[in-house]
Amino acid sequence: MTRRLLPRFVRKRYAVKFALALGLVTLAIAAVGGYSYLHANEVIGEETRDGLVTNAEIQAQNLDEWLTRMEVQMRSISESAAFQSGDDRDINLYLWSVVERDRDIDAAYYIDTRNETVLTSTGSASVASAESVTTYYGRQEFTALAQQSHGDVVISDPFRPSEGAAPVLLFATTIPERPNRAVIAVANLRDISETHLHDINAGRFVVVDAAGTVVLAEDESRLLETDALETTRYDSASGFVPGQSLGDSKTEVGFARMEAHDWVVTSRVPTGEAYALRTDILTQILATLFVVGAGAALLAATIGRDTVDAVRTLGSSARELTDGNLDVAIDRDREDEFGDLYEAFDVMRVSLRDQILDAERAREEAESARREAWDEKEASERRRRHLERTAEAYGEVMRACADGDLAERIDPDEESEAMAEVARSFNEMMADVQERNEQLRTVSNVLSHDLRNPLNVAVGRAELLADETESDHVEPLVESLDRIDAIIDDALVLALQRRVEDTLPVALSDVARRSWTHVDTGDATLVVDENPRFAADPDLAAHVFENLFRNSVEHGSTGSRIPSDDAVEHGSTGNRTVSDDAVEHGDDGVTVTVGALGDARGFYVEDDGPGIPESERASVLEPGYTTNRAGGGTGFGLPIVLQVADAHGWDLTLCESASGGARFELSDVERVGRDTDDAASLV
């Protein structure tokens, strides 16, 4: 489509197309360069304007803070004990200390505003003489100053006290409870400019008042001069004034009004320096365009011309070969890539006839192979469809077995020996699983009925024996029987693990408190932080909390680390009866906390005991792992927690609590709301 848009004389001549391509590339580079310059010009202009305004705003804020500090300083001076005493010697010493420690105050005066006389003074007299201090405003202004309310601070206009003296600024305030008395501090504007005007790159700050007088400037000669930029240009709180003729060159100006006083802070940078980067970019773009143009011309005069000649020669030879002239002469003396191409043409000319014959033979062989491949493809497609049907049938049986129907079996595939072997192996495995499952159910029935019934009788007899005798053997006997009962419970949970299908809404606080009463907790304390509701099998959930509580109580309240952490060691199952809001705190017992996880869906159980080292956290979840075998430990407690979590589809994580104890997190728990009792509870 693109070639049709070109004129015919361009399409037929490679040299024209080559020159046109070079021209378009050069033009495209020029267009990109121009756009880059315009875009850079806009960006640099915005950054320059924003930078000048930002610098002015920052400097205005700094000067606002300085004026505010000076006003606070003046109020502090006027309210000092020395001025309240009225003793001229104390006042003189105090003013001397103020001038010594505050570098922004060059001199200070204690005056009588009614008589316009200086009572005492200190500091540099060359900065502001006593006469200038008392007469600059005139009698009426200082009389008004004395009549002001206590604590007001008046700032004078900047002035030069005498010929050749430094420009100064006065801060004046009355003395509370002392009529016709005032204190005046003198600030040297040259020192203030040097101290409080911060440097900016290639520019400077100038501060002017409402009348356009330069109050502060880095250039000392400009102080108290009328600024060349009219104050009417400062028409907002802050802004930018472009290209102003200030002095010998144009200047870019950013300004910001101060809040503490009627001054305007300006940041000024010469236009040439502000936009120096823009000039550099334009120079680089023009240099790039010149190099590209020169390179294109050189390329056209050398490689382009030689390429055009070679293409013409190859085109002429190709047309001869197309016409059937296999004796056309081809130059093979060139040593570059075109020489390789010429040689290839010559080889093609010599072997073309043989290739035509070979192509005919190959076509016949290819046709035969195509038919064979087609037949094989159809056979392969039939095998694929059969395997898909067989795999689907196998999958249905396997899903039925996974759902609990262990009597289902797979019919072996007669067409595939591999699939048939899979079916036979699966059937043998399921027969073995079904047999072992029946054996496990038989053992579970023996534990839950045949063994539990005589155990209940033994417990009853032991309790009667405890009522009839005071033998020291009775209590250990009862504890051992309770231990056997707990072991039977653990064994049944391990033996009858199943995938939980039917769940009920369970309140975290309810199941935690109820499980707490089923564990011998001693002096331990239970804290329930939150009370969400989650979906679970209530009985299996109770096993989780009971075993975690036993683990915390038996291993956390010892106050020291057990040499090798054990899985849950079950103690006595004696019950403790507590009210819903009862609080029982042991003196040295462990504190067990239950609450909801923050981001993840689930809950946690943690204690403030010695914790479990990271190197042993995998071992304590292994069935039978215990270091308290002599004390009756079975090592089934934490494995039961893991097994119940897996049955619910929960994730169990063992980590360290904030207090260094053990923390068990169960996540991916389906929440079903929050219980109405959200208050934290202690048991």
Side-chain angles (χ1 to χ4, degrees):
M1 182 65 181
T2 304
R3 294 192 307 182
R4 293 180 180 177
L5 297 176
L6 297 174
R8 181 178 178 82
F9 78 94
V10 175
R11 296 200 305 267
K12 295 186 65 175
R13 291 171 175 80
Y14 177 80
V16 176
K17 289 190 286 187
F18 185 82
L20 180 61
L22 286 179
L24 291 176
V25 169
T26 304
L27 181 61
I29 294 175
V32 172
Y35 172 77
S36 300
Y37 172 73
L38 293 176
H39 180 68
N41 182 37
E42 181 179 356
V43 172
I44 292 172
E46 291 179 358
E47 291 181 350
T48 300
R49 292 191 293 272
D50 293 344
L52 288 173
V53 174
T54 300
N55 288 336
E57 291 174 344
I58 293 174
Q59 184 62 64
Q61 183 179 2
N62 292 336
L63 291 177
D64 279 330
E65 293 175 356
W66 172 69
L67 287 177
T68 302
R69 186 187 68 79
M70 290 296 295
E71 291 180 0
V72 172
Q73 174 82 327
M74 292 300 296
R75 294 190 186 96
S76 176
I77 292 173
S78 66
E79 295 171 359
S80 65
F83 280 98
Q84 297 304 316
S85 69
D87 185 270
D88 290 347
R89 181 176 179 277
D90 292 343
I91 293 174
N92 183 266
L93 290 175
Y94 178 70
L95 290 178
W96 178 83
S97 67
V98 169
V99 172
E100 284 296 314
R101 71 171 181 266
D102 194 334
R103 62 179 182 177
D104 290 338
I105 299 178
D106 279 29
Y109 296 86
Y110 179 47
I111 66 172
D112 184 334
T113 58
R114 181 179 57 189
N115 298 325
E116 299 182 8
T117 58
V118 176
L119 302 178
T120 184
S121 64
T122 187
S124 174
S126 63
V127 173
S129 64
E131 180 181 358
S132 67
V133 169
T134 57
T135 62
Y136 177 73
Y137 279 126
R139 180 181 299 276
Q140 293 181 351
E141 286 75 5
F142 278 104
T143 301
L145 176 66
Q147 294 173 351
Q148 292 176 353
S149 61
H150 298 322
D152 287 347
V153 177
V154 175
I155 302 175
S156 74
D157 294 329
F159 68 100
R160 200 179 301 273
S162 60
E163 185 77 20
V168 299
L169 191 70
L170 302 182
F171 294 86
T173 184
T174 57
I175 306 301
E177 307 301 333
R178 300 189 67 81
N180 304 321
R181 294 292 186 270
V183 59
I184 295 178
V186 182
N188 187 336
L189 293 182
R190 289 185 302 189
D191 294 342
I192 298 302
S193 297
E194 181 179 350
T195 302
H196 294 283
L197 292 184
H198 303 294
D199 294 336
I200 58 176
N201 293 333
R204 60 187 61 86
F205 286 110
V206 175
V207 182
V208 299
D209 61 12
T213 301
V214 177
V215 179
L216 299 173
E218 295 174 274
D219 184 359
E220 180 182 335
S221 64
R222 302 194 60 183
L223 293 175
L224 302 188
E225 297 291 330
T226 300
D227 190 29
L229 185 60
E230 297 180 358
T231 57
T232 56
R233 302 303 301 270
Y234 311 134
D235 54 356
S236 60
S238 63
F240 176 76
V241 182
Q244 296 300 304
S245 296
L246 303 179
D248 297 334
S249 61
K250 286 190 175 182
T251 303
E252 306 298 317
V253 181
F255 68 88
R257 291 187 177 275
M258 293 176 53
E259 296 180 358
H261 203 56
D262 190 16
W263 291 351
V264 178
V265 178
T266 64
S267 58
R268 307 181 180 189
V269 177
T271 301
E273 297 179 8
Y275 299 107
L277 180 59
R278 180 174 62 185
T279 303
D280 292 342
I281 292 175
L282 177 59
T283 302
Q284 293 174 6
I285 291 175
L286 292 176
T288 301
L289 291 177
F290 175 78
V291 171
V292 169
L298 180 62
L299 184 64
T302 56
I303 298 177
R305 180 177 179 181
D306 185 62
T307 301
V308 169
D309 293 340
V311 169
R312 287 175 178 172
T313 301
L314 287 174
S316 176
S317 300
R319 284 191 294 272
E320 291 288 339
L321 293 176
T322 302
D323 295 338
N325 183 12
L326 300 180
D327 296 327
V328 62
I330 298 177
D331 183 11
R332 301 178 61 176
D333 294 334
R334 293 187 60 136
E335 297 180 355
D336 57 6
E337 288 79 0
F338 280 104
D340 296 337
L341 188 57
Y342 289 169
E343 184 175 359
F345 263 78
D346 193 40
V347 172
M348 179 184 66
R349 176 184 62 80
V350 173
S351 62
L352 184 57
R353 187 174 294 104
D354 295 336
Q355 291 179 5
I356 293 174
L357 296 176
D358 292 341
E360 288 294 330
R361 289 193 296 268
R363 184 184 64 80
E364 294 177 358
E365 293 174 358
E367 182 64 25
S368 176
R370 185 187 66 79
R371 289 192 296 269
E372 293 177 0
W374 180 259
D375 295 339
E376 180 61 27
K377 178 182 178 182
E378 290 183 344
S380 176
E381 182 66 21
R382 286 194 300 271
R383 288 193 297 271
R384 183 188 65 79
R385 289 194 295 268
H386 175 74
L387 288 176
E388 288 180 352
R389 291 192 296 269
T390 302
E392 179 63 26
Y394 282 17
E396 291 179 359
V397 175
M398 291 179 181
R399 284 191 292 272
C401 291
D403 292 337
D405 188 2
L406 302 181
E408 286 287 334
R409 296 293 183 269
I410 296 176
D411 293 331
D413 182 20
E414 297 179 355
E415 294 187 15
S416 173
E417 180 59 29
M419 294 296 288
E421 181 61 27
V422 170
R424 287 191 292 270
S425 298
F426 178 81
N427 291 339
E428 292 174 1
M429 178 187 68
M430 292 310 302
D432 184 61
V433 169
Q434 187 175 16
E435 181 180 356
R436 291 182 180 275
N437 191 54
E438 292 299 328
Q439 293 174 354
L440 190 58
R441 290 184 181 277
T442 301
V443 173
S444 300
N445 290 331
V446 170
L447 288 175
S448 60
H449 298 92
D450 297 349
L451 186 58
R452 174 120 10 177
N453 289 336
L455 177 62
N456 292 337
V457 173
V459 171
R461 294 288 187 177
E463 292 176 351
L464 292 175
L465 184 61
D467 295 337
E468 296 175 0
T469 182
E470 296 182 356
S471 173
D472 294 338
H473 300 292
V474 174
E475 184 175 354
L477 175 61
V478 173
E479 291 180 354
S480 297
L481 293 174
D482 289 341
R483 186 60 178 160
I484 293 173
D485 186 54
I487 292 174
I488 292 174
D489 286 341
D490 291 344
L492 288 175
V493 173
L494 288 173
L496 296 178
Q497 177 194 1
R498 63 192 185 277
R499 184 181 182 87
V500 177
E501 298 292 346
D502 298 326
T503 60
L504 296 174
V506 176
L508 179 63
S509 176
D510 294 344
V511 68
R513 294 179 183 180
R514 186 167 56 253
S515 300
W516 187 260
T517 63
H518 294 164
V519 179
D520 185 6
T521 56
D523 293 331
T525 302
L526 173 65
V527 178
V528 181
D529 271 350
E530 298 183 53
N531 192 25
R533 299 174 69 85
F534 58 93
D537 183 311
D539 294 333
L540 292 179
H543 277 287
V544 170
F545 286 96
E546 290 176 13
N547 285 314
L548 291 179
F549 291 160
R550 287 193 188 99
N551 186 75
S552 295
V553 170
E554 295 180 12
H555 294 283
S557 60
T558 60
S560 62
R561 183 71 185 154
I562 297 175
S564 177
D565 276 351
D566 187 11
V568 174
E569 303 299 340
H570 299 285
S572 172
T573 58
N575 296 341
R576 298 174 61 233
T577 303
V578 295
S579 63
D580 284 345
D581 297 323
V583 179
E584 299 182 7
H585 299 280
D587 294 335
D588 300 317
V590 67
T591 297
V592 182
T593 304
V594 178
L597 294 178
D599 297 333
R601 299 182 305 168
F603 55 88
Y604 66 88
V605 178
E606 65 178 16
D607 59 55
D608 58 358
I612 301 175
E614 186 174 356
S615 61
E616 300 179 23
R617 291 173 187 171
S619 299
V620 299
L621 297 177
E622 296 176 358
Y625 179 85
T626 178
T627 58
N628 192 24
R629 189 73 65 185
T634 63
F636 290 153
L638 292 183
I640 286 176
V641 174
L642 178 60
Q643 201 159 335
V644 172
D646 290 340
H648 283 85
W650 302 342
D651 291 333
L652 174 64
T653 303
L654 173 55
C655 53
E656 183 176 304
S657 66
S659 61
R663 177 182 173 99
F664 296 86
E665 297 182 352
L666 289 101
S667 55
D668 289 336
V669 179
E670 179 184 359
R671 290 193 182 183
V672 293
R674 179 174 294 277
D675 196 70
T676 55
D677 182 12
D678 286 335
S681 60
L682 300 175
V683 178

